[in-house]
């Protein structure tokens, strides 16, 4: 039985081709030691049996993710007869990056230009004869979903698999120091069932995962050969001499691949722009410009936040009125059946009040922010935001996709943490998870807006500008923390991030809103509710268990007061943040409860009245500034922390996600307190 491997980028129709070739003769499982699904099938052609392996979709063989490792290791170490590279005809340049890397490993390649009918509709013409000549491999135009071109593809597979046809595939040439290193290492390499040129490149790169795969698959370790180890060290010394060590080496290799892909696509692809293409180009000149891209991004974010905050006030008030009514009726009902007053107070004014408060304050902003965010994503704006911030995150040795997870955090940090799954590199995914709580979620906006309006400006427009400045500060904190993490506990080289910029499209309103409600709003709310009830009980007990100085709540505030003063705050504020761990929305109500020595959470009737209470308890401009900064940079809420643990399965990384923002907030507030 002959073996055919299908390789290609995600979403190029590879699985459709697999189904077309194999029909019902297929099964799925897991790759050994990996959680990525494997798919195998069989077909019969010209008296030969063929086994088809559907490799995971990947943009590159420069391994950073489990998918890339599987594709790389299979093509590098396993036995097969043909690799079919499936490419999207509507975006050939991007797909050629992977094709050129596969050609480094084997000559037995067929390039299938899939979705050729869609390319024709978009006025895209590909000269497959010239492309075949340039790459030295057969090129077949096809459309897997309709079966068009499949017979021609089968014939090319058969000719190569039966050795009736031999390719002379194109091989990339790199800059002189790298080529010199390849020659030095290749001379000392033993005969293995591995492409020597590719093996030499990987040994120069010192890719840990590849070295492990090499030893696992072949039993070979280059450290066991004195001559080979010396050759590898000599090659690396050459790279160091030309400043090509570490990321410099990767960047040089990647740059050559991208340049060749761009040049090949320019020679073989002819596109007549449609009206929509020209419209998209004009929009991209605005949204992706170095001059206008980031300012427009900030304006858009400010607009979404303004809609979220202003639009959520009325429904939040209605919900609170409804819950106040429920509280009253519940208390009366419990008293009617002779439940002790203290127990009623604990259940209604402790557990239920905190629970209802969290729902009333969290639900309306989430119901506005997440659908707006999802609509912007569906329209095609979020990938462009990631593009604008990509270079900033890359300089911090992080991934450009972290820009997307950071933006998700503006709605809820827990969603930003789960959104980090889009980042392939485990190291970069951890950086995104740990730093996400540095982004202020919608639960912190009411507190920030209230303090800004009371102590700085009351004008809504100017308040929005100050809030936007705080968001820029939070982004700076995210970048700084990402850089520090990448240079210390999460040291590493940034992965190559192939940015896929989709066309602008009309958002699917009903579908997008439905998925936002199901996957984000309900998800976050359920986790918040799970921790709000026990937190309500704890807060009520602290406020109602009396001591010589008043209550446990006032004693704890007094105990924390020296630390609070050092940070430009006070013990009550610090305790409010600690007890606000279930949800940031209850920080100010807890402060009021402590300042007024009340036994339950207290609402404030007006900002002016709240300001008078705060000033009477020692608040100043410095206190207000430190409060805003600490509101930006402090430990994540319980929902986010629970999500971090579920995503990382590690107490170590969960603890670091607490320490990272808390340390940054402590340093910033202490400096502000000394300077101002």
């Amino acid at each position: 039985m002959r073996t055919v491997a299908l390789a290609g980028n995600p979403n190029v129709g590879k699985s459709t081709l697999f189904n077309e070739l194999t029909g019902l003769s297929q099964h799925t499982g897991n790759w050994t030691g990996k959680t990525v699904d494997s798919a195998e099938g069989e077909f019969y052609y010209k008296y030969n049996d063929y086994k088809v392996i559907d490799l995971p979709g990947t943009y590159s063989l420069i391994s950073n993710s489990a998918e890339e490792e599987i594709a790389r290791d299979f093509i590098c170490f396993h036995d097969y007869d043909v690799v079919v590279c499936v490419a999207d005809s509507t975006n050939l340049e991007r797909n050629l990056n992977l094709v050129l890397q596969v050609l480094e490993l084997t000559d037995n390649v067929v390039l299938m230009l899939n979705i050729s009918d869609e390319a024709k509709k978009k006025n895209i013409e590909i000269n497959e004869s010239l492309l075949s000549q340039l790459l030295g491999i057969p090129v077949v135009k096809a459309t897997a979903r309709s079966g068009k071109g499949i017979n021609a593809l089968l014939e090319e597979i058969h000719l190569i698999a039966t050795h009736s046809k031999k390719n002379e595939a194109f091989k990339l040439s790199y800059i002189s120091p790298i080529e010199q290193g390849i020659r030095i290492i290749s001379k000392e390499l033993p005969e293995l069932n591995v492409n020597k040129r590719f093996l030499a490149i990987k040994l120069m790169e010192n890719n840990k995962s590849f070295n492990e795969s090499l030893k696992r698959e072949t039993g070979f370790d280059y450290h066991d050969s004195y001559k080979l180890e010396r050759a590898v060290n000599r090659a690396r010394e050459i790279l160091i001499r030309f400043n090509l060590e570490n990321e410099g080496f990767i960047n040089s290799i990647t740059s050559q691949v991208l340049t060749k892909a761009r040049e090949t696509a320019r020679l073989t692809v002819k596109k007549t722009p449609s009206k929509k293409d020209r419209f998209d180009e004009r929009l991209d000149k605005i949204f992706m410009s170095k001059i206008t891209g980031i300012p427009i991004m900030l304006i858009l974010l400010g607009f979404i936040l303004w809609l979220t905050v202003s639009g959520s006030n009325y429904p939040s008030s209605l919900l609170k009125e409804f819950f106040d009514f429920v509280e009253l009726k519940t208390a009366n009902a419990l008293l009617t059946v002779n439940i002790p007053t203290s127990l009623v107070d604990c259940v209604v004014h402790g557990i239920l009040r905190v629970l209802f408060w969290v729902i009333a304050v969290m639900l309306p902003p989430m119901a506005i922010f997440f659908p707006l965010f999802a609509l912007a994503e569906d329209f095609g704006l979020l990938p462009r935001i990631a593009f604008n911030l990509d270079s900033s995150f890359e300089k911090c040795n992080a991934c450009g996709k972290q820009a997307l997870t950071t933006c998700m955090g503006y709605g809820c940090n827990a969603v930003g943490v789960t959104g980090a799954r889009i980042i392939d590199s485990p190291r970069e995914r951890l950086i995104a998870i740990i730093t996400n709580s540095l982004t202020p979620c919608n639960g912190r906006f009411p507190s920030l807006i209230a303090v800004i309006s009371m102590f700085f400006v009351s004008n809504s427009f100017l308040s929005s500008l100050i809030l936007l400045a705080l968001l820029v500060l939070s982004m700076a904190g995210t970048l700084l923390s990402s850089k520090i993490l990448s240079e210390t506990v999460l040291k590493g080289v940034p992965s190559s991030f192939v940015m896929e910029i989709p066309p602008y499209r009309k958002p699917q309103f009903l579908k997008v809103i439905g998925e936002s409600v199901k996957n984000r709003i309900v998800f976050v709310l359920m986790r918040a509710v799970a921790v709000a009830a026990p937190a309500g009980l704890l807060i009520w007990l602290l406020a109602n268990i009396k001591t010589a100085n008043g209550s446990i709540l006032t004693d704890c505030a007094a105990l924390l007061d020296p630390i609070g003063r050092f940070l430009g705050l006070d013990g009550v504020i610090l305790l409010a943040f600690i007890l606000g761990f279930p949800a940031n929305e209850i920080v100010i109500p807890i402060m009021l409860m402590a300042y007024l020595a009340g036994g339950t959470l207290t609402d404030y009737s007006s900002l002016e009245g709240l300001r008078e209470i705060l000033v009477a308890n020692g608040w100043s401009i410095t206190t207000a500034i430190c409060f805003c900064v600490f509101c930006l940079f402090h430990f994540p809420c319980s929902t986010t922390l629970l999500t971090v643990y579920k995503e990382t399965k590690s107490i170590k990384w969960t603890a670091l996600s607490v320490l990272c923002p808390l340390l940054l907030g402590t340093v910033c507030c202490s400096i502000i307190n000394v300077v101002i």
Side-chain angles (χ1 to χ4, degrees):
M1 182 176 286
R2 305 179 190 277
T3 302
V4 179
L6 303 183
N9 294 177
N11 305 315
V12 295
K14 190 163 53 67
S15 297
T16 306
L17 174 63
F18 175 79
N19 293 333
E20 181 69 23
L21 291 175
T22 60
L24 298 176
S25 302
Q26 54 186 250
H27 66 273
T28 58
N30 280 326
W31 297 95
T32 305
K34 305 288 181 181
T35 57
V36 181
D37 287 341
S38 67
E40 289 187 16
E42 298 173 9
F43 71 89
Y44 181 80
Y45 184 77
K46 287 192 173 180
Y47 308 107
N48 282 274
D49 290 313
Y50 288 88
K51 178 169 71 173
V52 184
I53 309 292
D54 187 11
L55 299 178
T58 176
Y59 292 106
S60 170
L61 297 181
I62 301 174
S63 176
N64 292 299
S65 67
E67 289 82 359
E68 290 169 356
E69 286 182 15
I70 290 167
R72 179 203 66 193
D73 290 352
F74 186 91
I75 299 173
C76 192
F77 301 116
H78 288 231
D79 291 326
Y80 54 85
D81 296 280
V82 187
V83 176
V84 177
C85 285
V86 184
D88 180 354
S89 297
T90 64
N91 199 338
L92 182 63
E93 180 181 328
R94 185 194 70 205
N95 287 246
L96 283 175
N97 296 333
L98 179 63
V99 175
L100 291 169
Q101 291 176 52
V102 172
L103 294 181
E104 289 274 273
L105 286 161
T106 178
D107 289 338
N108 297 337
V109 179
V110 178
L111 174 57
M112 173 186 166
L113 301 177
N114 197 24
I115 326 176
S116 55
D117 56 344
E118 192 70 26
K120 188 175 181 180
K121 289 178 184 177
K122 293 183 176 182
N123 299 321
I124 298 173
E125 294 181 18
I126 300 176
N127 187 334
E128 67 266 35
S129 298
L130 178 58
L131 183 59
S132 175
Q133 182 181 336
L134 291 172
L135 298 179
I137 58 173
V139 177
V140 178
K141 281 186 178 178
T143 301
R145 62 172 172 255
S146 66
K148 184 179 178 181
I150 298 300
N151 287 335
L153 175 67
L154 287 170
E155 184 61 24
E156 294 294 349
I157 291 172
H158 178 72
L159 290 174
I160 294 174
T162 57
H163 309 290
S164 303
K165 183 177 183 178
K166 185 172 177 60
N167 294 337
E168 293 185 6
F170 169 82
K171 303 296 179 186
L172 282 165
S173 295
Y174 302 106
I175 58 177
S176 179
I178 294 177
E179 288 294 338
Q180 188 179 348
I182 291 172
R183 287 194 296 272
I184 291 171
I185 294 174
S186 297
K187 288 179 183 177
E188 304 298 336
L189 282 172
E191 291 299 325
L192 298 169
N193 188 28
V194 182
N195 183 290
K196 283 191 175 183
R197 182 177 174 82
F198 184 81
L199 181 53
I201 291 171
K202 283 298 175 184
L203 291 177
M204 272 195 289
E205 180 189 340
N206 196 23
N207 185 294
K208 184 180 177 181
S209 73
F210 180 82
N211 292 340
E212 291 173 353
S213 297
L214 177 65
K215 189 170 184 178
R216 183 179 64 250
E217 299 290 344
T218 66
F220 176 75
D221 187 337
Y222 80 94
H223 293 294
D224 296 337
S225 169
Y226 172 73
K227 288 185 177 180
L228 179 57
E229 187 171 20
R230 188 174 62 176
V232 171
N233 290 334
R234 280 178 57 201
R236 289 177 185 164
E237 286 171 4
I238 294 171
L239 296 180
I240 293 171
R241 200 181 311 148
F242 288 89
N243 295 319
L244 289 172
E245 70 273 24
N246 301 327
E247 63 261 31
F249 178 79
I250 297 292
N251 289 341
S252 180
I253 295 285
T254 304
S255 175
Q256 187 60 35
V257 173
L258 294 173
T259 300
K260 183 60 182 179
R262 190 179 305 114
E263 177 188 323
T264 304
R266 180 178 58 81
L267 292 172
T268 57
V269 179
K270 181 181 177 182
K271 182 177 181 180
T272 306
S274 63
K275 287 183 179 180
K276 187 180 184 305
D277 292 331
R278 287 192 287 268
F279 176 71
D280 285 2
E281 287 176 9
R282 286 195 291 269
L283 285 181
D284 280 343
K285 285 180 181 178
I286 299 172
F287 288 120
M288 297 173 67
S289 165
K290 291 183 179 179
I291 299 172
T292 61
I294 290 180
I296 288 176
M297 177 183 70
L298 290 173
I299 291 170
L300 176 66
L301 178 60
F303 178 68
I304 290 176
L305 293 175
W306 175 77
L307 283 178
T308 301
V309 174
S310 60
S312 61
N313 288 333
Y314 184 66
S316 284
S317 299
L318 288 178
L319 278 174
K320 189 173 183 312
E321 288 178 11
F322 171 72
F323 287 142
D324 286 345
F325 174 77
V326 173
E327 271 188 36
L328 181 62
K329 291 297 182 183
T330 304
N332 290 336
L334 292 174
L335 290 171
T336 302
V337 294
N338 298 319
I339 301 294
T341 304
S342 57
L343 183 58
V344 172
D345 197 32
C346 175
V347 172
V348 176
H349 299 134
I351 298 172
L352 284 182
R353 180 162 293 183
V354 171
L355 179 63
F356 288 161
W357 199 303
V358 168
I359 295 172
V361 178
M362 283 185 69
L363 182 57
M366 287 195 301
I368 296 173
F369 181 87
F370 285 137
L372 287 175
F373 189 84
L375 289 171
E377 183 178 13
D378 204 39
F379 179 62
L381 284 179
L382 290 193
R384 289 159 174 86
I385 291 174
F387 175 85
N388 291 333
L389 294 173
D390 179 42
S391 59
S392 299
F393 280 100
E394 186 180 355
K395 289 174 183 175
C396 300
N397 288 348
C399 178
K401 291 179 183 178
Q402 190 176 336
L404 295 176
T405 66
T406 300
C407 290
M408 291 176 188
Y410 287 120
C412 177
N413 295 132
V415 174
V417 169
T418 56
R421 295 170 187 170
I422 65 174
I423 300 175
D424 296 323
S425 163
R427 182 189 73 87
E428 292 167 348
R429 191 183 311 125
L430 278 172
I431 291 175
I433 288 172
I434 292 167
T435 60
N436 197 269
S437 60
L438 295 170
T439 303
C441 63
N442 65 47
R444 292 182 244 180
F445 289 139
S447 298
L448 288 170
I449 292 168
V451 172
I452 290 170
S453 301
M454 287 186 295
F455 288 90
F456 302 110
V457 291
S458 57
N459 180 279
S460 60
F461 176 73
L462 294 176
S463 296
S464 299
L465 290 181
I466 293 175
L467 180 60
L468 200 57
L470 288 173
L471 298 186
V472 173
L473 176 63
S474 76
M475 181 61 73
T478 299
L479 292 171
L480 175 63
S481 300
S482 298
K483 180 67 175 176
I484 292 172
L485 287 170
S486 67
E487 295 291 340
T488 53
V489 292
L490 289 169
K491 187 179 292 186
V493 179
S495 61
S496 55
F497 173 31
V498 180
M499 178 69 74
E500 183 177 354
I501 303 296
Y504 296 98
R505 60 185 180 184
K506 183 180 178 181
Q508 299 173 291
F509 288 91
L510 294 178
K511 181 181 178 183
V512 168
I513 292 172
E515 289 182 353
S516 295
V517 171
K518 177 184 174 183
N519 298 328
R520 294 180 178 177
I521 297 172
V522 174
F523 162 78
V524 175
L525 198 59
M526 288 302 100
R527 286 199 175 176
V529 165
V531 294
L537 175 61
L538 175 63
I539 293 168
W540 186 89
L541 290 173
L542 291 176
N544 287 274
I545 297 177
K546 301 303 179 182
T547 65
N549 297 318
S551 67
I552 296 178
L553 189 70
T554 54
D555 288 349
C556 291
L559 190 65
L560 292 170
D561 199 61
I563 302 173
R565 299 291 176 187
F566 174 74
L567 299 177
L569 306 169
D570 63 27
V572 168
I573 300 171
L574 214 53
L575 182 61
F577 275 109
I578 294 171
L579 294 179
F581 174 64
N584 290 288
E585 294 85 352
I586 60 176
V587 168
I588 288 183
I590 292 173
M591 283 166 43
L592 275 177
M593 183 170 69
Y595 283 140
L596 300 174
T600 61
L601 288 189
T602 307
D603 196 5
Y604 47 93
S605 56
S606 69
L607 288 180
E608 186 58 36
L610 176 59
R611 187 181 188 281
E612 290 177 4
I613 295 171
L614 297 180
V615 171
N617 283 274
W619 273 56
S620 63
I621 292 293
T622 302
T623 312
I625 294 173
C626 290
F627 177 87
C628 290
V629 172
F630 199 75
C631 196
L632 290 180
F633 306 136
H634 69 283
F635 45 83
C637 71
S638 57
T639 306
T640 303
L641 204 61
L642 179 62
T643 306
V644 170
Y645 180 74
K646 285 182 177 291
E647 292 296 308
T648 63
K649 300 291 190 296
S650 166
I651 294 176
K652 171 187 172 182
W653 299 123
T654 305
L656 190 58
S657 71
V658 173
L659 292 174
C660 177
L662 186 58
L663 184 61
L664 182 60
T666 301
V667 171
C668 290
C669 287
S670 58
I671 292 173
I672 292 169
N673 189 36
V674 171
V675 173
I676 299 180

